[in-house]
Amino acid sequence: MRQVKYHVASTVDGFIAHPDGSYDGFPMVGEHVDEFVTSLGSYDTVLMGTNTYEIGLKAGVTYPYPPLKHYVFSHSLDDVDEPDVEMVRSDAAEFVRKLKAQPGKDIWLCGGATLAATLLDAKLIDELIIKLNPRLFGTGISLTAGTPGIITLDLLATKAYKTGVVLLTYRVNYA
């Protein structure tokens, strides 16, 4: 079965973006960025919520991660004229459950916080990969928009970069 991996940048104080959804302030150059781009080859599918996808739309980008198949979970966005971008209007958990059962590579949950919380609640995220950035935002969009109580994470790997970014890889333990 395919795995869903929430692979996301975060500040030390747990924010993935500023309150307006922007993410300036994260280091965008360095070995951690190069390795992230390389890691995209382990996925064939990307999941995004409305707010995450809208960031690219505002810049005129409708297909941000070629060649990945994009599923955007939104009830408010219009369809886009991209063959590999599909708007999902149905129940996110049920859709992802079926997607995981299909053959293919792992599935990247790009964001955002609400979709992550929904999938955690449904016990559908297998790994949490956090690019912990040496930044404090003080306020913003948190890693998840709430969770259904305490979720235990089992540390699988760590890697520290010269930029101060630390990559933390956890298996989500729903037991």
Side-chain angles (χ1 to χ4, degrees), residues 12 53 132 154 171:
V12 172
Y53 189 68
L132 191 62
D154 299 327
R171 178 180 16 252

Side-chain angles (χ1 to χ4, degrees), residues 34-57:
D34 298 336
E35 286 187 13
F36 169 71
V37 171
T38 300
S39 78
L40 293 179
S42 66
Y43 306 110
D44 62 6
T45 304
V46 60
L47 310 176
M48 289 181 255
T50 300
N51 295 334
T52 301
Y53 189 68
E54 275 185 320
I55 293 168
L57 279 181

Side-chain angles (χ1 to χ4, degrees), residues 6-17 23 25-28 30-40 43 65 108-111 128-135 137 143 157-161 163-170:
Y6 186 23
H7 195 158
V8 62
S10 177
T11 61
V12 172
D13 53 351
F15 297 108
I16 62 173
Y23 52 90
F26 287 115
M28 300 304 280
E31 184 183 13
H32 69 283
V33 175
D34 298 336
E35 286 187 13
F36 169 71
V37 171
T38 300
S39 78
L40 293 179
Y43 306 110
Y65 301 106
W108 172 32
L109 171 56
C110 178
L128 179 58
I129 304 169
I130 301 174
K131 294 172 288 191
L132 191 62
N133 288 265
R135 302 290 191 271
F137 283 1
L143 196 59
T158 63
K159 184 171 184 179
Y161 298 92
T163 58
V165 172
V166 178
L167 187 67
L168 302 166
T169 304
Y170 296 98

Side-chain angles (χ1 to χ4, degrees), residues 53-74:
Y53 189 68
E54 275 185 320
I55 293 168
L57 279 181
K58 290 176 184 175
V61 178
T62 56
Y63 187 46
Y65 301 106
L68 304 180
K69 174 69 177 177
H70 293 50
Y71 293 101
V72 180
F73 295 82
S74 178

